[in-house]
């Protein structure tokens, strides 16, 4: 019983950064922009978030700075990919290379420091209910926020006019432009939202997941978040399922080591990455009648005047 | 005020030539600001980065040693990018090549195996790199799975596999518990070119690769196909060129080159297999490929320049205590500026004043 609860709790914690980062990227990709810089934005968010939380002693300030850092990084991307019409794949890779360097530079003075991680909710009575108590009423604020975020994004995309326009930009920027919608401005906002989410997802790692910062601590989670968006076929509902499945794969690997499974730890650690490859193959194959990706995804748009 | 792009009637060749220089100039200007923020004298720092390594023979050799893997990997990547195939997992192919080649070195250790050992290591490493690169290529061609994501995921897998080998079955029993294989035997080592120096045969191989790529791209039909498929996919389809086949081919070649670079690094400058054999060569090579304009000669020059930043970064760390990560920031910023300046080749930048914008909106 306690083991099941412990596993569910750790799956939730491992899934949350994936869910937050992938939600942001989903919005950006729905507007037609492929930002491959998620890993870079996340890792800068992690470094800035930890540095500020350590300096101010506040998790909230740390989280906010993580968001700001991710947003600033995404603005660099927006200027390049949208303002200057540079190839989005190359720009996204540049953002990740830059982000890894920047996070090393920012975080260098903070390696080895510790903070008190984000507090978990405690509601006397409810939190103590066996099995479901701590799962439902004993999480940190990031976990609840991530759920609210994906519900909010679903509502925005499918139930608001602005969401409809954003999706239109992603499916056919020429038509959206002809109808008078400011395609580049909408895409810039979508990219900034993606950056804010990636920054927060990165900040989650040192602020709630582990109470310290190490260089390279995102360990490819940004890329897994990108794969999750493909996995979800660009739909928020499936994104939740995907994020928790991947979180479970990560935790399975950790627990298998604890149970003394006779497989070298490195092979277990490779599981989430191999799972990503397999899932990408299976999903891309399962899709019939063409891809479900936004039709204008990753294409350059220069409005003619 | 708003920045507007205007498509040029034809690509500007003048700007194509000078844009990498503009990019380097802008990067250095940005670095001056960064050094000032870090509280270091920018002039001294620039000297440590770009001038000091060029002033003595030892550093010059080090630059050539560092440029060797960068150029070899970047040549392969440039073929992929020309054909519009996005191999970004060269780091993984480099590591797998290093592992595969090392297998022979480890197995023949201490035996009196002959001169065949090193050539066999090179061949096996290239084959392993090619096979590893074929995984994302086949996933793309057969299942339409994003080669960007799959090739990247395989970097982490390769890294963990190498880690497993040097901590487990291949660990040197006399290595004081360090995760490393024993030093390779002399027959399993890339020979040096200069007695007492560090310059090795790999640099010659890299030059041969550059020459071969130049011939392939300029003088052969395959090279023409690669360029057409990337630049004008529709025209290529009408021409009957098979884009999928080129994805497979360019991935295999770039994987083979990355794998070869991997074993040359391990059997050359490093001398044994251990984690951390690559300071991100596979990713830096992406910058080299773009800075070199996906052109073999350009890549050679760009590879030497990026190698200079590695060596300069080390010198700046020793002389001025500038953190090593500044080199990565430098490389990231450089790639941004290179890409931004590339935009100038296709577009003219124009600033539009807001009142005109409003007038247009009303009209």
């Amino acid at each position: 019983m306690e083991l099941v609860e412990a596993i569910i709790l750790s799956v939730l914690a491992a899934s949350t950064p994936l869910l937050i980062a992938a939600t942001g990227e989903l919005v950006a990709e729905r507007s037609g922009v492929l930002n491959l810089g998620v890993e870079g934005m996340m890792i800068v968010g992690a470094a800035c978030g930890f540095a500020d939380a350590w300096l101010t002693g506040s998790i909230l300030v740390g989280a906010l700075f993580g968001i700001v850092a991710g947003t600033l990084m995404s603005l660099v991307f927006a200027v390049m990919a949208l303002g200057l019409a540079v190839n989005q794949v190359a720009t996204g890779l540049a953002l990740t290379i830059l982000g890894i360097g920047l996070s090393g530079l920012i975080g260098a003075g903070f390696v080895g420091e510790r903070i008190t991680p984000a507090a978990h909710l405690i509601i006397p009575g409810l939190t103590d209910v066996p099995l479901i108590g701590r799962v439902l009423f004993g999480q940190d604020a990031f976990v609840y926020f991530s759920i609210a975020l994906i519900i909010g994004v679903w509502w925005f995309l499918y139930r608001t006019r602005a969401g409809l326009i954003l999706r239109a930009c992603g499916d056919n920027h020429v038509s959206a432009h002809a109808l008078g919608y400011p395609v580049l401005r909408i895409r810039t906002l979508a990219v900034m939202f993606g950056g804010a989410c990636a920054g927060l997802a990165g900040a989650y790692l040192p602020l709630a997941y582990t109470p310290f910062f190490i260089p390279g601590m995102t360990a490819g989670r940004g890329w897994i978040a990108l794969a999750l968006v493909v996995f979800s076929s660009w739909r928020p509902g499936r994104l939740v399922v995907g994020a928790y499945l991947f979180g479970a794969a990560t935790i399975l690997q950790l627990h298998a080591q604890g149970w003394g499974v006779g497989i070298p730890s490195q092979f277990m650690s490779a599981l989430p990455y191999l799972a990503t490859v397999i899932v990408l193959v299976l999903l891309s194959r399962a899709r019939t009648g063409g891809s479900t990706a936004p039709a204008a995804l990753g294409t350059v748009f220069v409005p003619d005047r | 005020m708003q920045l507007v792009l205007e498509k040029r009637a034809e690509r500007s060749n003048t700007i194509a030539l000078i844009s990498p220089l503009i990019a380097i100039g802008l990067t250095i200007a940005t670095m001056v600001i960064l050094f000032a923020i870090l509280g270091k004298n920018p002039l001294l720092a620039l000297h440590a980065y770009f001038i000091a390594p060029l002033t003595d023979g030892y550093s010059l050799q080090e630059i050539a040693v560092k440029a060797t893997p960068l150029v070899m990997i970047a040549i392969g990547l440039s073929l992929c990018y020309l054909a519009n195939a996005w191999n970004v997992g060269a780091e993984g192919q480099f590591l797998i090549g290093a592992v595969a080649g090392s297998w022979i070195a480890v197995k023949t250790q201490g035996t009196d195996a002959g001169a065949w050992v090193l050539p066999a290591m090179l061949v096996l490493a290239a084959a392993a790199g090619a096979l590893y690169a074929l995984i994302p290529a086949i996933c793309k061609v057969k299942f339409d799975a994003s080669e960007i994501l799959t090739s990247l995921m395989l970097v982490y897998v390769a890294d963990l596999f190498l880690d497993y080998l040097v901590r487990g079955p291949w660990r040197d029993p006399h290595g004081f518990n360090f995760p490393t294989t024993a030093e390779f035997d002399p027959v399993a080592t890339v020979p040096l070119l200069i007695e007492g120096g560090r310059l090795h045969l790999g640099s010659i191989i890299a030059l041969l690769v550059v020459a071969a790529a130049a011939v392939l791209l300029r003088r052969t039909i395959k090279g023409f196909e690669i360029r057409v498929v990337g630049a004008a996919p529709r025209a290529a389809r009408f021409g009957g060129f098979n884009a999928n086949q080129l994805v497979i081919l360019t991935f295999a070649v770039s994987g083979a080159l990355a794998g070869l670079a991997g074993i040359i690094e391990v059997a050359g400058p490093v001398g044994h297999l251990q984690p951390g054999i690559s300071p991100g060569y596979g990713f830096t090579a992406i910058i080299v490929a773009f800075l070199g304009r996906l052109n073999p000669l350009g890549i050679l020059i760009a590879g030497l320049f990026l190698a200079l930043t590695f060596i300069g970064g080390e010198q700046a760390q020793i002389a001025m205590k500038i953190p090593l990560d500044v080199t990565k920031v430098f490389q990231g910023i450089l790639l941004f500026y290179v890409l931004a300046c590339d935009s100038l080749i296709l577009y003219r930048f124009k600033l539009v004043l807001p009142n005109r914008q409003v007038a247009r909106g009303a009209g």
Side-chain angles (χ1 to χ4, degrees), chain A residues 80 83-87 89 93-95 98 101-102 104-105 220 223 264 266-267 270 273 277 280-281 284 302 305, chain B residues 3-6 86 88 139 143-145 149 152-153 156 160 163-164 325-326 328-329 333 335-336 339 343 347 349:
Chain A
M80 295 278 297
L84 301 180
V86 176
N87 179 308
V89 173
L93 292 173
L95 198 66
L98 177 67
L102 275 179
L105 204 57
W223 299 109
Q266 290 93 343
F267 290 162
Y273 307 111
V277 174
L280 279 171
V281 167
S284 312
V302 179
R305 289 163 306 129
Chain B
L3 182 73
V4 170
L5 301 186
E6 207 172 65
W86 288 95
V88 288
C139 288
F143 310 115
D144 198 28
L149 292 174
L152 254 164
M153 290 296 130
Y156 295 95
L160 287 162
D163 194 71
Y164 158 73
D325 283 301
V326 170
K328 273 190 214 135
V329 174
I333 293 174
L335 182 51
F336 272 116
L339 296 169
S343 194
Y347 303 100
F349 294 174

Side-chain angles (χ1 to χ4, degrees), chain A residues 132-156:
Chain A
I132 56 161
R134 283 191 58 205
V135 173
L136 291 179
F137 306 107
Q139 301 297 327
D140 57 58
F142 290 92
V143 175
Y144 297 112
F145 179 79
S146 68
I147 307 285
L149 184 72
I150 189 74
I151 294 174
V153 162
W154 172 84
W155 175 80
F156 170 79

